[in-house]
Amino acid sequence: LHDTVPPVMEVPESDHGTLYLFNVLRDGLSYLSVCPAEVSPLLTLEFLHRVADIFVDYFGSPADESVIKDNFSTVYQLLEEMVDYGWPLTTEPNALKAMIRPPTVMGKIQQVVTGGSNAIVSDALPSGTISNMPWRTAGVKHAHNEIYIDIVEEVDAILDSMGNVISSDVSGSIQAQSLLSGVPDLLLTFKDPSFIDDCSFHPCVRYNRFELDNVVSFVPPDGNFELMRYRIRNSGALIFSPPVYCTPQLIFGDGNTASSAPQSGRIVVNVGARSIGSLIFSAAARKGSMVVEDVAVTIPFPKIVKTANLSVNMGHVIYDEAGKVARWTIGKLDEKKKPQLTGTMVLDGNRRPEERPPLNLEWKIPLASVSGLSVSGLSLTGESYKPYKGVRNLTKSGRFQVRCS
């Protein structure tokens, strides 16, 4: 249902004039923002995603309806600090945690006993508010100094029923986890930065330095954060061969409309890993066979399908009668496994479906890259210790659609 709702809607001639509605869906929750005047859509949508990210940082994943209800007082305090008279104000996790403590068991007990919010709200302003680095807390100390960098690339693609790529696009992000004491100054360099295009950075990155030398210089926040997002230059020209194939077949009745009995249909979906693909693997991954993780297929059925009886030889499948959607969770997949879904459908009436919605395929491959982007160095200055540094690549599906035959 949410796929049919546009992210930006205009409501003309309301009691308050023309209103603009912005919405995003995260963990089954719709985050809605109402604006009485024209504003940048990307600003509002990015802020809604930031609110959802903060809830995940505070309460864990998934931040669904039950979690929001259980932590309503903290949610209310967070929104008060993040929005000031309708404008985004404090959105950095470290600054928020200095003002509003993350929920703990003892904090909830104290809140129930005292009947107030003193257990979660701090009287002191965060130290970053008066510094030129609001994203980093002052006086950070860790027993073990570590930093981890993940280069995550997402593939959006449309495939036909035979597995041929009709269109594809590759975007990436660099996720970081920093557990470093003091105020470290980091410099991240790439082996071939020419792949990177259309970048956006965390506020901690010195943008001018990247423009001049194609290096990322920054003082990191403490904890998890997204360092940058990028697109692969000329990704449409890349010869992308999907690491996973999916061949769906939907057959609807025999076309005999004179029969009063409901038509039936059959469905067969085959999934497997390809032995040869276009992904670039790290040296550690080349030693063994390729393993695809978190493989899942979402199968939307036409509206005329009354019900479906599905069975699989690997994983498990759940069919949602109300939404006319089946989700087949496979899990790990290698070249030897040949998962298959088969089933029958009962149609509402004796007419053929007017549409055949595409399937959505999900997958994830560690230590692999589409572009071949890799880190050549990560150096630290400003502190005397030598931290442990870990860097890895990860490729996963984005909006990966397979058309039905």
Side-chain angles (χ1 to χ4, degrees):
L1 177 62
H2 184 268
D3 291 340
T4 63
V5 179
V8 182
M9 294 178 286
E10 182 182 2
V11 183
E13 299 178 2
S14 68
D15 295 339
H16 302 279
T18 300
L19 297 177
Y20 300 92
L21 306 181
F22 302 85
N23 74 92
V24 299
L25 181 69
R26 294 279 297 270
D27 293 326
L29 281 180
S30 289
Y31 293 80
L32 180 68
S33 173
V34 182
C35 298
E38 289 193 27
V39 296
S40 169
L42 292 180
L43 167 67
T44 311
L45 293 173
E46 177 63 25
F47 176 73
L48 291 176
H49 279 293
R50 182 62 65 91
V51 172
D53 290 338
I54 291 295
F55 289 167
V56 171
D57 199 7
Y58 264 72
F59 314 126
S61 181
D64 53 15
E65 181 182 358
S66 61
V67 170
I68 300 300
K69 286 180 178 178
D70 293 343
N71 299 276
F72 179 76
S73 58
T74 306
V75 168
Y76 187 85
Q77 295 289 343
L78 285 170
L79 292 177
E80 275 201 331
E81 297 296 339
M82 295 183 73
V83 185
D84 181 40
Y85 201 64
W87 291 97
L89 182 61
T90 305
T91 59
E92 284 298 325
N94 285 314
L96 288 169
K97 286 179 180 177
M99 292 185 287
I100 302 168
R101 302 182 185 95
T104 60
V105 175
M106 290 303 297
K108 288 182 178 180
I109 294 174
Q110 183 181 345
Q111 189 177 353
V112 170
V113 172
T114 60
S117 59
N118 294 333
I120 59 174
V121 179
S122 172
D123 295 330
L125 279 174
S127 55
T129 350
I130 53 175
S131 75
N132 59 352
M133 289 186 293
W135 58 85
R136 186 164 182 88
T137 309
V140 178
K141 291 183 180 179
H142 291 283
H144 301 284
N145 293 288
E146 304 165 330
I147 182 164
Y148 300 95
I149 302 289
D150 286 349
I151 303 176
V152 182
E153 292 186 346
E154 284 192 10
V155 182
D156 297 332
I158 299 176
L159 278 61
D160 63 16
S161 58
M162 301 303 295
N164 300 314
V165 179
I166 299 173
S167 67
S168 65
D169 187 64
V170 183
S171 59
S173 65
I174 297 183
Q175 307 291 335
Q177 182 185 30
S178 173
L179 303 172
L180 301 174
S181 306
V183 186
D185 201 321
L186 299 175
L187 184 69
L188 181 69
T189 57
F190 302 101
K191 285 185 180 178
D192 189 357
S194 63
F195 291 113
I196 300 175
D197 192 19
D198 193 15
C199 306
S200 61
F201 297 95
H202 189 277
C204 70
V205 176
R206 301 178 179 98
Y207 183 70
N208 290 337
R209 185 73 187 276
F210 183 81
E211 285 287 291
L212 292 173
D213 304 324
N214 283 332
V215 297
V216 182
S217 174
F218 62 103
V219 175
D222 191 49
N224 299 315
F225 66 100
E226 184 178 83
L227 181 63
M228 63 180 287
R229 295 192 69 87
Y230 62 91
R231 292 172 65 88
I232 301 300
R233 190 183 302 273
N234 298 325
S235 61
L238 288 174
I239 302 175
F240 172 68
S241 176
V244 180
Y245 68 83
C246 177
T247 55
Q249 280 188 316
L250 274 75
I251 303 166
F252 296 96
D254 56 3
N256 182 12
T257 57
S259 172
S260 60
Q263 279 191 343
S264 62
R266 291 183 293 115
I267 178 172
V268 179
V269 180
N270 292 295
V271 178
R274 296 182 187 272
S275 56
I276 300 175
S278 58
L279 297 181
I280 301 170
F281 291 88
S282 64
R286 293 194 199 104
K287 297 177 181 178
S289 60
M290 182 186 71
V291 176
V292 188
E293 298 179 354
D294 298 342
V295 180
V297 185
T298 302
I299 309 169
F301 286 85
K303 295 178 182 178
I304 67 166
V305 174
K306 257 188 176 180
T307 183
N309 183 19
L310 307 174
S311 61
V312 296
N313 64 354
M314 182 177 172
H316 62 273
V317 61
I318 299 174
Y319 177 66
D320 180 9
E321 292 269 359
K324 310 290 186 187
V325 175
R327 181 169 176 82
W328 178 20
T329 304
I330 300 173
K332 285 189 177 182
L333 185 64
D334 58 28
E335 298 169 14
K336 298 178 182 178
K337 297 177 180 177
K338 305 295 180 185
Q340 185 182 60
L341 177 144
T342 57
T344 58
M345 299 171 285
V346 177
L347 308 185
D348 185 8
N350 52 11
R351 54 193 175 88
R352 290 181 175 273
E354 297 178 356
E355 83 287 351
R356 294 191 181 186
L359 280 65
N360 290 314
L361 183 61
E362 300 171 23
W363 49 267
K364 182 174 71 176
I365 302 179
L367 306 177
S369 170
V370 179
S371 65
L373 181 68
S374 59
V375 172
S376 61
L378 179 61
S379 58
L380 182 147
T381 57
E383 298 291 340
S384 57
Y385 55 79
K386 292 184 178 180
Y388 174 81
K389 296 173 277 190
V391 180
R392 65 177 181 179
N393 288 78
L394 176 71
T395 300
K396 64 178 184 177
S397 61
R399 194 176 180 86
F400 206 89
Q401 296 185 336
V402 182
R403 292 178 177 174
C404 298
S405 61

